[in-house]
Coordinates of all heavy atoms in Angstrom, one line a residue:
M1 N 0.8 -1.2 0.0 CA 0.0 0.0 0.0 C 0.9 1.3 0.0 O 2.0 1.3 0.6 CB -0.9 0.0 1.2 CG -2.0 1.1 1.2 SD -3.0 1.1 2.7 CE -3.8 -0.5 2.6
D2 N 0.4 2.3 -0.7 CA 1.0 3.6 -0.7 C 1.3 4.1 0.7 O 0.4 4.2 1.6 CB 0.0 4.5 -1.4 CG 0.4 5.9 -1.6 OD1 1.3 6.4 -0.8 OD2 -0.1 6.6 -2.5
Y3 N 2.6 4.5 1.0 CA 2.9 4.9 2.3 C 2.1 6.1 2.8 O 1.7 6.2 4.0 CB 4.4 5.3 2.4 CG 4.9 5.7 3.8 CD1 5.1 4.7 4.8 CD2 5.0 7.0 4.1 CE1 5.5 5.1 6.0 CE2 5.4 7.4 5.4 CZ 5.6 6.4 6.3 OH 6.0 6.8 7.6
S4 N 1.9 7.1 1.9 CA 1.1 8.3 2.4 C -0.3 7.9 2.8 O -0.9 8.5 3.7 CB 1.1 9.3 1.3 OG 0.4 8.8 0.1
L5 N -0.9 6.9 2.2 CA -2.2 6.4 2.5 C -2.2 5.7 3.9 O -3.1 5.9 4.7 CB -2.8 5.5 1.4 CG -4.2 5.1 1.6 CD1 -5.1 6.3 1.7 CD2 -4.7 4.2 0.5
I6 N -1.2 5.0 4.2 CA -1.1 4.4 5.5 C -1.1 5.5 6.6 O -1.8 5.4 7.6 CB 0.2 3.6 5.6 CG1 0.1 2.3 4.7 CG2 0.5 3.1 7.1 CD1 1.4 1.6 4.6
G7 N -0.4 6.6 6.4 CA -0.4 7.7 7.3 C -1.8 8.3 7.5 O -2.2 8.6 8.6
K8 N -2.5 8.4 6.4 CA -3.9 8.9 6.4 C -4.8 8.0 7.2 O -5.7 8.5 7.9 CB -4.4 9.2 5.0 CG -3.7 10.2 4.2 CD -3.9 11.6 4.9 CE -3.2 12.7 4.0 NZ -3.1 13.9 4.8
I9 N -4.6 6.7 7.0 CA -5.4 5.8 7.8 C -5.2 5.9 9.3 O -6.1 5.9 10.1 CB -5.2 4.3 7.3 CG1 -5.7 4.2 5.8 CG2 -5.9 3.3 8.2 CD1 -5.3 2.9 5.1
E10 N -3.9 6.0 9.7 CA -3.6 6.2 11.1 C -4.3 7.5 11.6 O -4.8 7.5 12.7 CB -2.1 6.3 11.3 CG -1.4 4.9 11.1 CD -2.0 3.8 11.9 OE1 -2.2 4.1 13.2 OE2 -2.3 2.7 11.4
K11 N -4.2 8.6 10.8 CA -4.8 9.8 11.3 C -6.3 9.7 11.4 O -7.0 10.2 12.3 CB -4.4 10.9 10.3 CG -4.7 12.3 10.8 CD -4.1 13.4 9.9 CE -4.2 14.8 10.6 NZ -3.6 15.8 9.8
A12 N -6.9 9.0 10.4 CA -8.4 8.7 10.4 C -8.8 8.0 11.7 O -9.8 8.3 12.3 CB -8.8 7.9 9.2
K13 N -8.0 7.0 12.1 CA -8.3 6.3 13.3 C -8.3 7.2 14.5 O -9.1 7.1 15.4 CB -7.3 5.2 13.6 CG -7.5 4.0 12.6 CD -6.4 2.9 12.8 CE -6.5 1.8 11.8 NZ -5.4 0.9 11.9
R14 N -7.3 8.2 14.6 CA -7.3 9.1 15.7 C -8.5 10.0 15.7 O -9.2 10.3 16.7 CB -6.0 9.9 15.7 CG -4.8 9.1 16.0 CD -3.6 10.0 16.4 NE -3.2 11.0 15.4 CZ -2.4 10.7 14.4 NH1 -1.8 9.5 14.3 NH2 -2.1 11.6 13.5
Y15 N -8.8 10.5 14.5 CA -10.0 11.4 14.3 C -11.3 10.6 14.8 O -12.2 11.2 15.4 CB -10.2 11.8 12.9 CG -9.3 13.0 12.5 CD1 -9.0 13.2 11.1 CD2 -9.0 14.0 13.4 CE1 -8.2 14.3 10.7 CE2 -8.2 15.1 13.0 CZ -7.8 15.2 11.7 OH -7.1 16.3 11.3
A16 N -11.4 9.4 14.4 CA -12.6 8.6 14.7 C -12.8 8.4 16.2 O -13.9 8.2 16.7 CB -12.5 7.3 14.0
E17 N -11.7 8.5 16.9 CA -11.8 8.4 18.4 C -12.1 9.8 19.0 O -12.3 9.8 20.2 CB -10.5 7.9 19.0 CG -10.3 6.4 18.6 CD -8.9 5.9 19.0 OE1 -8.1 6.7 19.5 OE2 -8.7 4.7 18.8
E18 N -12.1 10.8 18.3 CA -12.3 12.2 18.8 C -13.6 12.8 18.1 O -13.6 13.7 17.3 CB -11.1 13.1 18.5 CG -9.8 12.5 19.2 CD -8.6 13.2 18.8 OE1 -8.6 14.2 18.0 OE2 -7.5 12.7 19.1
K19 N -14.7 12.2 18.5 CA -16.0 12.5 17.9 C -16.3 14.0 18.0 O -17.1 14.5 17.2 CB -17.1 11.7 18.5 CG -17.1 10.2 18.2 CD -18.3 9.5 18.8 CE -18.4 8.1 18.3 NZ -19.6 7.4 18.9
E20 N -15.8 14.7 19.1 CA -16.2 16.1 19.3 C -15.6 17.0 18.1 O -16.1 18.1 18.0 CB -15.6 16.6 20.6 CG -14.1 16.6 20.8 CD -13.5 15.3 21.1 OE1 -14.2 14.3 21.1 OE2 -12.2 15.3 21.3
R21 N -14.7 16.4 17.3 CA -14.3 17.2 16.2 C -15.3 17.4 15.1 O -15.2 18.2 14.2 CB -13.1 16.5 15.5 CG -11.8 16.5 16.4 CD -10.7 15.8 15.6 NE -9.4 15.8 16.3 CZ -8.5 16.8 16.2 NH1 -8.7 17.8 15.4 NH2 -7.4 16.6 16.9
F22 N -16.3 16.5 15.1 CA -17.3 16.4 14.0 C -18.6 17.0 14.4 O -19.1 16.8 15.5 CB -17.5 15.0 13.6 CG -16.3 14.3 13.1 CD1 -15.4 13.7 14.0 CD2 -16.0 14.2 11.7 CE1 -14.2 13.1 13.5 CE2 -14.9 13.6 11.3 CZ -14.0 13.1 12.2
Q23 N -19.1 17.9 13.6 CA -20.5 18.4 13.7 C -21.3 18.1 12.5 O -21.0 18.7 11.4 CB -20.5 19.9 14.0 CG -19.8 20.3 15.3 CD -18.4 20.7 15.2 OE1 -18.0 21.3 14.2 NE2 -17.6 20.3 16.1
F24 N -22.3 17.3 12.6 CA -23.2 17.0 11.5 C -24.0 18.3 11.2 O -24.5 18.9 12.1 CB -24.2 15.9 11.8 CG -23.5 14.5 11.8 CD1 -23.1 13.9 12.9 CD2 -23.3 13.9 10.5 CE1 -22.6 12.6 12.9 CE2 -22.8 12.7 10.5 CZ -22.4 12.0 11.6
Q25 N -24.2 18.6 10.0 CA -24.9 19.8 9.6 C -26.3 19.4 8.9 O -27.3 19.8 9.4 CB -24.1 20.7 8.7 CG -22.9 21.2 9.5 CD -22.1 22.2 8.7 OE1 -21.6 21.8 7.5 NE2 -21.8 23.3 9.2
N26 N -26.2 18.6 7.9 CA -27.4 18.2 7.2 C -27.3 16.8 6.7 O -26.2 16.4 6.1 CB -27.6 19.1 5.9 CG -27.8 20.5 6.2 OD1 -28.8 21.0 6.8 ND2 -26.8 21.3 5.9
F27 N -28.3 16.0 6.9 CA -28.4 14.7 6.3 C -29.8 14.2 6.3 O -30.7 14.7 7.0 CB -27.5 13.7 7.0 CG -27.7 13.4 8.5 CD1 -28.8 12.7 8.9 CD2 -26.9 14.0 9.4 CE1 -29.0 12.4 10.2 CE2 -27.1 13.7 10.8 CZ -28.2 13.0 11.2
T28 N -30.0 13.2 5.4 CA -31.3 12.6 5.3 C -31.1 11.1 5.4 O -30.2 10.6 4.8 CB -32.0 12.9 3.9 OG1 -32.1 14.3 3.8 CG2 -33.3 12.3 3.8
V29 N -32.0 10.4 6.2 CA -31.8 9.0 6.4 C -33.2 8.3 6.2 O -34.2 8.8 6.7 CB -31.4 8.7 7.8 CG1 -31.3 7.2 8.0 CG2 -30.0 9.4 8.1
K30 N -33.2 7.2 5.4 CA -34.4 6.5 5.3 C -34.4 5.3 6.3 O -33.4 4.6 6.3 CB -34.6 6.0 3.9 CG -35.9 5.2 3.6 CD -36.0 4.8 2.1 CE -37.2 4.0 1.9 NZ -37.3 3.5 0.5
I31 N -35.4 5.1 7.0 CA -35.5 4.0 7.9 C -36.6 3.0 7.5 O -37.7 3.5 7.2 CB -35.6 4.4 9.4 CG1 -35.8 3.2 10.3 CG2 -36.8 5.4 9.6 CD1 -35.8 3.5 11.8
N32 N -36.4 1.8 7.5 CA -37.4 0.8 7.2 C -38.1 0.5 8.6 O -37.7 -0.3 9.3 CB -36.9 -0.5 6.6 CG -36.3 -0.2 5.2 OD1 -37.0 0.4 4.4 ND2 -35.1 -0.7 4.9
G33 N -39.2 1.2 8.9 CA -39.9 1.1 10.1 C -40.7 -0.3 10.1 O -40.7 -1.0 9.1
T34 N -41.2 -0.6 11.3 CA -42.0 -1.9 11.4 C -43.1 -1.9 10.4 O -43.4 -3.0 9.8 CB -42.5 -2.0 12.8 OG1 -41.4 -1.8 13.7 CG2 -43.1 -3.4 13.0
N35 N -43.8 -0.8 10.2 CA -45.0 -0.7 9.3 C -44.7 -0.1 8.0 O -45.2 -0.5 7.0 CB -46.1 0.0 10.0 CG -46.5 -0.7 11.3 OD1 -46.8 -1.9 11.4 ND2 -46.6 0.0 12.4
N36 N -44.0 1.0 8.0 CA -43.7 1.8 6.8 C -42.3 2.3 6.9 O -41.7 2.5 7.9 CB -44.7 3.0 6.8 CG -46.1 2.6 6.7 OD1 -46.5 1.9 5.7 ND2 -46.9 2.9 7.7
P37 N -41.8 2.6 5.7 CA -40.5 3.3 5.7 C -40.7 4.8 6.0 O -41.8 5.3 5.8 CB -40.0 3.2 4.2 CG -41.3 3.1 3.4 CD -42.3 2.3 4.3
H38 N -39.8 5.4 6.7 CA -39.9 6.9 7.0 C -38.6 7.6 6.6 O -37.5 7.0 6.6 CB -40.1 7.0 8.5 CG -41.5 6.6 8.9 ND1 -42.6 7.3 8.6 CD2 -41.9 5.5 9.6 CE1 -43.7 6.6 9.0 NE2 -43.3 5.5 9.6
T39 N -38.7 8.9 6.4 CA -37.6 9.7 6.0 C -37.3 10.7 7.2 O -38.2 11.4 7.6 CB -37.8 10.5 4.8 OG1 -38.1 9.5 3.7 CG2 -36.6 11.3 4.4
I40 N -36.1 10.6 7.7 CA -35.7 11.5 8.8 C -34.7 12.5 8.2 O -33.8 12.1 7.4 CB -34.9 10.7 9.9 CG1 -35.8 9.5 10.4 CG2 -34.4 11.6 11.0 CD1 -35.0 8.5 11.1
R41 N -34.9 13.7 8.6 CA -34.0 14.8 8.1 C -33.4 15.5 9.4 O -34.0 15.7 10.4 CB -34.7 15.8 7.3 CG -35.1 15.3 5.9 CD -35.7 16.3 5.0 NE -36.1 15.7 3.7 CZ -37.2 15.1 3.5 NH1 -38.1 15.0 4.5 NH2 -37.5 14.5 2.4
Y42 N -32.1 15.9 9.2 CA -31.4 16.6 10.2 C -30.8 17.8 9.6 O -30.1 17.7 8.6 CB -30.3 15.7 10.9 CG -29.6 16.4 12.0 CD1 -30.1 16.4 13.3 CD2 -28.4 17.0 11.8 CE1 -29.4 17.0 14.3 CE2 -27.7 17.6 12.8 CZ -28.2 17.6 14.1 OH -27.5 18.1 15.1
K43 N -31.1 19.0 10.1 CA -30.6 20.2 9.5 C -30.3 21.2 10.5 O -31.1 21.6 11.3 CB -31.7 20.8 8.5 CG -31.2 22.0 7.7 CD -32.2 22.4 6.7 CE -31.7 23.6 5.9 NZ -32.6 24.1 4.9
N44 N -29.0 21.6 10.6 CA -28.5 22.6 11.5 C -29.0 22.4 12.9 O -29.5 23.3 13.6 CB -28.9 24.0 11.0 CG -28.3 24.3 9.6 OD1 -27.2 23.9 9.3 ND2 -29.1 25.0 8.8
G45 N -28.9 21.2 13.4 CA -29.2 20.9 14.8 C -30.7 20.6 15.0 O -31.1 20.4 16.2
K46 N -31.5 20.5 14.0 CA -32.9 20.3 14.2 C -33.3 19.0 13.4 O -32.9 18.8 12.3 CB -33.7 21.5 13.7 CG -33.2 22.7 14.4 CD -34.3 23.7 14.7 CE -33.7 24.8 15.5 NZ -34.6 25.8 16.0
W47 N -34.2 18.3 14.0 CA -34.7 17.0 13.4 C -36.1 17.2 12.8 O -36.9 18.1 13.1 CB -35.0 16.0 14.6 CG -33.7 15.5 15.2 CD1 -33.2 15.9 16.4 CD2 -32.9 14.5 14.7 NE1 -32.0 15.2 16.7 CE2 -31.8 14.3 15.7 CE3 -32.9 13.6 13.6 CZ2 -30.8 13.4 15.5 CZ3 -31.9 12.7 13.4 CH2 -30.9 12.6 14.4
D48 N -36.3 16.3 11.8 CA -37.7 16.2 11.2 C -37.9 14.8 10.8 O -36.9 14.1 10.4 CB -37.8 17.2 10.0 CG -39.2 17.2 9.4 OD1 -40.1 17.1 10.2 OD2 -39.3 17.3 8.2
C49 N -39.1 14.3 10.9 CA -39.4 13.0 10.4 C -40.8 13.0 9.8 O -41.7 13.8 10.3 CB -39.4 12.0 11.6 SG -39.8 10.3 11.1
D50 N -41.1 12.2 8.8 CA -42.4 12.3 8.2 C -43.5 11.5 8.8 O -44.6 11.4 8.3 CB -42.2 12.0 6.7 CG -41.8 10.5 6.5 OD1 -41.7 9.7 7.4 OD2 -41.6 10.2 5.3
C51 N -43.2 10.9 10.0 CA -44.2 10.1 10.6 C -45.2 10.9 11.4 O -44.9 12.1 11.8 CB -43.6 9.0 11.5 SG -42.9 9.6 13.1
D52 N -46.4 10.4 11.7 CA -47.4 11.1 12.4 C -47.0 11.5 13.8 O -47.4 12.5 14.3 CB -48.7 10.3 12.4 CG -49.4 10.2 11.1 OD1 -49.1 11.0 10.2 OD2 -50.1 9.2 10.8
F53 N -46.4 10.5 14.5 CA -46.0 10.8 15.9 C -45.1 12.0 16.0 O -45.2 12.8 16.9 CB -45.3 9.5 16.5 CG -45.1 9.6 18.0 CD1 -46.1 9.1 18.8 CD2 -44.0 10.1 18.6 CE1 -46.0 9.1 20.2 CE2 -43.9 10.2 19.9 CZ -44.9 9.7 20.7
F54 N -44.1 12.1 15.1 CA -43.2 13.2 15.1 C -44.0 14.5 14.9 O -43.7 15.5 15.6 CB -42.1 13.1 14.1 CG -41.0 14.2 14.2 CD1 -39.9 13.9 14.9 CD2 -41.2 15.4 13.6 CE1 -38.9 14.9 15.1 CE2 -40.3 16.4 13.7 CZ -39.1 16.2 14.4
R55 N -44.9 14.5 14.0 CA -45.7 15.8 13.7 C -46.4 16.3 15.0 O -46.5 17.5 15.2 CB -46.7 15.5 12.6 CG -46.0 15.7 11.3 CD -47.1 15.7 10.1 NE -46.4 15.1 9.0 CZ -46.8 13.9 8.4 NH1 -47.8 13.2 8.9 NH2 -46.1 13.5 7.4
S56 N -46.9 15.4 15.8 CA -47.6 15.8 17.0 C -46.7 16.0 18.2 O -47.0 16.8 19.1 CB -48.7 14.8 17.3 OG -48.2 13.5 17.6
R57 N -45.6 15.3 18.3 CA -44.8 15.3 19.5 C -43.4 15.9 19.3 O -42.7 16.2 20.3 CB -44.6 13.9 20.0 CG -45.9 13.2 20.3 CD -46.6 13.8 21.6 NE -45.8 13.5 22.8 CZ -45.9 12.4 23.5 NH1 -46.7 11.5 23.1 NH2 -45.2 12.2 24.5
G58 N -42.9 16.1 18.0 CA -41.6 16.7 17.8 C -40.5 15.7 18.1 O -39.3 16.2 18.1
R59 N -40.8 14.5 18.3 CA -39.7 13.5 18.6 C -40.4 12.1 18.3 O -41.6 12.0 18.5 CB -39.3 13.6 20.0 CG -38.0 13.0 20.3 CD -37.5 13.2 21.7 NE -36.1 12.8 21.9 CZ -35.5 12.6 23.0 NH1 -36.2 12.7 24.1 NH2 -34.2 12.3 23.1
C60 N -39.7 11.2 17.8 CA -40.3 9.9 17.6 C -39.2 8.8 17.7 O -38.0 9.0 17.9 CB -40.9 9.9 16.2 SG -39.7 10.1 14.9
S61 N -39.7 7.5 17.6 CA -38.8 6.4 17.7 C -37.7 6.4 16.7 O -36.5 6.0 16.9 CB -39.5 5.1 17.7 OG -40.2 4.9 16.4
H62 N -38.0 7.0 15.5 CA -37.0 7.0 14.4 C -35.9 8.0 14.7 O -34.7 7.7 14.6 CB -37.7 7.4 13.1 CG -39.0 6.6 12.9 ND1 -40.2 7.2 12.9 CD2 -39.2 5.3 12.8 CE1 -41.2 6.3 12.7 NE2 -40.6 5.1 12.7
T63 N -36.3 9.2 15.1 CA -35.2 10.2 15.4 C -34.4 9.8 16.7 O -33.2 10.0 16.7 CB -35.8 11.6 15.6 OG1 -36.7 11.6 16.7 CG2 -36.5 12.1 14.4
M64 N -35.1 9.2 17.6 CA -34.4 8.8 18.9 C -33.5 7.6 18.6 O -32.4 7.6 19.2 CB -35.4 8.4 20.0 CG -36.1 9.6 20.5 SD -37.1 9.3 22.0 CE -38.6 8.5 21.3
A65 N -33.8 6.8 17.7 CA -32.9 5.7 17.3 C -31.7 6.2 16.7 O -30.5 5.8 17.0 CB -33.6 4.7 16.3
L66 N -31.8 7.2 15.8 CA -30.6 7.8 15.2 C -29.8 8.6 16.2 O -28.6 8.5 16.2 CB -31.0 8.8 14.1 CG -31.0 8.2 12.7 CD1 -31.4 9.3 11.7 CD2 -29.6 7.7 12.4
E67 N -30.4 9.2 17.2 CA -29.7 9.9 18.3 C -28.8 8.8 19.0 O -27.7 9.1 19.4 CB -30.6 10.5 19.3 CG -31.3 11.8 18.8 CD -32.4 12.3 19.7 OE1 -32.5 11.8 20.8 OE2 -33.1 13.2 19.3
M68 N -29.4 7.6 19.2 CA -28.7 6.6 19.9 C -27.5 6.1 19.0 O -26.4 5.9 19.5 CB -29.6 5.4 20.2 CG -30.6 5.7 21.3 SD -31.8 4.4 21.4 CE -33.1 5.1 22.4
I69 N -27.7 5.9 17.7 CA -26.7 5.5 16.8 C -25.5 6.5 16.8 O -24.4 6.1 16.8 CB -27.3 5.2 15.4 CG1 -28.2 4.0 15.4 CG2 -26.1 5.1 14.4 CD1 -29.0 3.9 14.1
L70 N -25.9 7.7 16.7 CA -24.9 8.8 16.6 C -24.3 9.2 17.9 O -23.4 10.0 18.0 CB -25.5 10.0 15.8 CG -25.9 9.6 14.4 CD1 -26.6 10.8 13.7 CD2 -24.6 9.2 13.6
D71 N -24.9 8.7 19.0 CA -24.3 8.8 20.4 C -23.6 10.1 20.7 O -22.4 10.2 20.8 CB -23.4 7.6 20.6 CG -23.0 7.6 22.1 OD1 -23.7 8.1 22.9 OD2 -22.0 6.9 22.3
G72 N -24.4 11.2 20.8 CA -23.8 12.5 21.3 C -23.2 13.3 20.2 O -22.7 14.4 20.4
M73 N -23.3 12.8 18.9 CA -22.7 13.6 17.8 C -23.7 14.6 17.2 O -23.3 15.3 16.3 CB -22.2 12.6 16.7 CG -21.0 11.8 17.2 SD -20.3 10.8 15.9 CE -19.4 12.0 15.0
V74 N -24.9 14.5 17.6 CA -26.0 15.4 17.1 C -26.8 16.0 18.2 O -26.8 15.5 19.3 CB -26.9 14.6 16.2 CG1 -26.3 14.2 14.9 CG2 -27.5 13.4 16.8
E75 N -27.4 17.1 18.0 CA -28.3 17.7 19.0 C -29.5 16.8 19.2 O -30.0 16.2 18.2 CB -28.8 19.1 18.5 CG -27.7 20.1 18.2 CD -27.0 20.6 19.6 OE1 -27.8 20.7 20.6 OE2 -25.9 20.9 19.6
E76 N -30.0 16.8 20.4 CA -31.2 16.0 20.6 C -32.4 16.8 20.8 O -32.4 17.9 21.3 CB -30.9 15.1 21.9 CG -29.8 14.1 21.7 CD -29.6 13.2 22.8 OE1 -30.5 13.2 23.7 OE2 -28.7 12.4 22.8
T77 N -33.6 16.2 20.5 CA -34.9 16.7 20.8 C -35.4 18.0 20.1 O -36.5 18.4 20.3 CB -35.2 16.8 22.3 OG1 -34.4 18.0 22.8 CG2 -34.8 15.6 23.1
Q78 N -34.6 18.6 19.3 CA -35.1 19.8 18.7 C -35.8 19.5 17.4 O -35.5 18.4 16.7 CB -33.9 20.7 18.4 CG -33.2 21.2 19.7 CD -32.1 22.2 19.4 OE1 -32.4 23.2 18.7 NE2 -31.0 21.9 19.8
T79 N -36.7 20.3 17.0 CA -37.5 20.1 15.8 C -37.3 21.2 14.8 O -36.9 22.3 15.1 CB -39.0 20.0 16.1 OG1 -39.4 21.2 16.7 CG2 -39.3 18.9 17.1
V80 N -37.5 20.9 13.5 CA -37.4 21.8 12.5 C -38.5 22.8 12.5 O -39.7 22.4 12.6 CB -37.3 21.1 11.1 CG1 -37.4 22.2 10.0 CG2 -36.1 20.3 11.0
E81 N -38.2 24.1 12.5 CA -39.3 25.1 12.5 C -39.6 25.5 11.1 O -38.6 25.9 10.4 CB -38.8 26.3 13.3 CG -38.7 26.0 14.8 CD -37.9 27.0 15.6 OE1 -37.7 28.1 15.1 OE2 -37.4 26.6 16.6
N82 N -40.8 25.5 10.7 CA -41.2 25.9 9.3 C -41.6 27.3 9.2 O -42.1 27.9 10.2 CB -42.3 25.0 8.8 CG -41.8 23.6 8.7 OD1 -40.8 23.3 8.1 ND2 -42.6 22.6 9.2
Ligands
ZN101 ZN1 -40.6 9.2 13.0

């Protein structure tokens, strides 16, 4: 393997252990829910999901599951203001 790439892989491992370096800004995730697929959006620290529960409560099992997966790397419980 290319020596410079080995150095980059070592640096990547250090970065991956320092999650506080990363701030997610925008992403969209599709989840295959138990009954239906849902689309979760995250934008500038705010969550949105297309499920009915999220619309009424501003939080749902889908967004909470992603909060768990991302474990402290994203803001929790905030909703997108339209
Ligand atoms: Zn949802």
Side-chain angles (χ1 to χ4, degrees):
M1 190 184 293
D2 180 338
Y3 181 78
S4 64
L5 187 56
I6 291 170
K8 292 298 181 191
I9 291 168
E10 290 305 313
K11 195 167 188 181
K13 288 177 182 171
R14 290 200 301 275
Y15 279 152
E17 290 171 357
E18 298 168 11
K19 289 184 176 182
E20 67 279 4
R21 289 180 180 273
F22 298 85
Q23 292 94 40
F24 284 101
Q25 295 181 308
N26 300 290
F27 58 76
T28 301
V29 178
K30 184 176 175 186
I31 175 172
N32 293 313
T34 306
N35 301 309
N36 297 297
H38 290 289
T39 300
I40 302 162
R41 292 187 178 82
Y42 183 83
K43 186 175 182 183
N44 300 325
K46 308 218 173 183
W47 291 99
D48 186 34
C49 181
D50 64 4
C51 74
D52 291 337
F53 193 91
F54 187 93
R55 277 190 210 111
S56 61
R57 302 289 294 276
R59 201 175 191 198
C60 63
S61 58
H62 314 116
T63 61
M64 288 190 283
L66 260 182
E67 288 172 9
M68 292 172 191
I69 291 167
L70 296 172
D71 189 23
M73 297 184 74
V74 289
E75 298 289 328
E76 297 187 4
T77 70
Q78 295 183 57
T79 58
V80 173
E81 293 162 21
N82 294 311

